[in-house]
Short mmCIF file of all heavy atoms in Angstrom, two decimals:
data_model
loop_
_atom_site.label_atom_id
_atom_site.label_comp_id
_atom_site.label_asym_id
_atom_site.label_seq_id
_atom_site.Cartn_x
_atom_site.Cartn_y
_atom_site.Cartn_z
N THR A 257 163.65 152.20 87.29
CA THR A 257 164.22 152.17 85.95
C THR A 257 163.29 152.80 84.92
O THR A 257 163.61 152.91 83.75
CB THR A 257 164.52 150.72 85.50
OG1 THR A 257 163.29 149.98 85.58
CG2 THR A 257 165.54 150.10 86.44
N ASP A 302 148.14 130.82 96.43
CA ASP A 302 147.85 130.77 95.00
C ASP A 302 146.92 131.87 94.53
O ASP A 302 147.02 132.33 93.42
CB ASP A 302 147.22 129.41 94.65
CG ASP A 302 148.24 128.31 94.74
OD1 ASP A 302 149.38 128.54 94.32
OD2 ASP A 302 147.91 127.23 95.25
N ALA A 315 148.87 132.52 81.21
CA ALA A 315 149.90 131.53 81.52
C ALA A 315 149.29 130.15 81.59
O ALA A 315 149.92 129.15 81.31
CB ALA A 315 150.58 131.89 82.83
N ASN A 375 108.50 162.19 131.02
CA ASN A 375 108.06 163.37 131.76
C ASN A 375 107.38 164.31 130.74
O ASN A 375 107.96 165.31 130.31
CB ASN A 375 109.26 164.05 132.42
CG ASN A 375 108.85 165.22 133.30
OD1 ASN A 375 107.72 165.70 133.22
ND2 ASN A 375 109.77 165.66 134.14
N LEU A 378 106.97 168.23 131.36
CA LEU A 378 108.18 169.00 131.10
C LEU A 378 108.44 169.09 129.60
O LEU A 378 108.76 170.16 129.06
CB LEU A 378 109.37 168.36 131.82
CG LEU A 378 110.74 168.98 131.53
CD1 LEU A 378 110.77 170.45 131.94
CD2 LEU A 378 111.83 168.20 132.25
N ALA A 381 106.32 171.68 127.97
CA ALA A 381 106.78 173.04 128.22
C ALA A 381 108.00 173.37 127.36
O ALA A 381 108.12 174.45 126.77
CB ALA A 381 107.13 173.20 129.70
N LEU A 421 101.67 157.06 105.80
CA LEU A 421 101.28 155.79 105.20
C LEU A 421 101.17 155.89 103.68
O LEU A 421 100.81 154.95 103.02
CB LEU A 421 99.93 155.33 105.78
CG LEU A 421 99.96 155.12 107.30
CD1 LEU A 421 98.55 154.89 107.84
CD2 LEU A 421 100.85 153.93 107.66
N LEU A 507 103.98 153.02 87.86
CA LEU A 507 105.12 152.25 87.37
C LEU A 507 105.09 152.18 85.85
O LEU A 507 106.10 152.40 85.19
CB LEU A 507 105.12 150.85 87.97
CG LEU A 507 105.36 150.75 89.47
CD1 LEU A 507 105.12 149.33 89.97
CD2 LEU A 507 106.76 151.20 89.82
N ILE A 523 118.27 151.17 72.10
CA ILE A 523 118.46 149.98 72.96
C ILE A 523 117.18 149.16 72.97
O ILE A 523 116.10 149.73 73.08
CB ILE A 523 118.73 150.41 74.42
CG1 ILE A 523 120.01 151.19 74.55
CG2 ILE A 523 118.81 149.20 75.30
CD1 ILE A 523 120.43 151.35 75.99
N HIS A 609 122.19 165.62 114.79
CA HIS A 609 123.47 165.87 114.14
C HIS A 609 123.37 165.68 112.64
O HIS A 609 123.83 166.50 111.85
CB HIS A 609 124.56 164.89 114.64
CG HIS A 609 124.87 165.03 116.08
ND1 HIS A 609 125.64 164.11 116.76
CD2 HIS A 609 124.53 165.96 117.00
CE1 HIS A 609 125.74 164.46 118.02
NE2 HIS A 609 125.08 165.58 118.19
N CYS A 647 107.60 158.41 115.37
CA CYS A 647 106.98 157.10 115.15
C CYS A 647 107.69 155.96 115.88
O CYS A 647 108.84 156.09 116.30
CB CYS A 647 106.95 156.78 113.66
SG CYS A 647 105.97 157.95 112.71
#
Side-chain angles (χ1 to χ4, degrees):
Chain A
T257 57
D302 289 320
N375 185 345
L378 174 60
L421 300 170
L507 294 171
I523 296 192
H609 296 169
C647 298

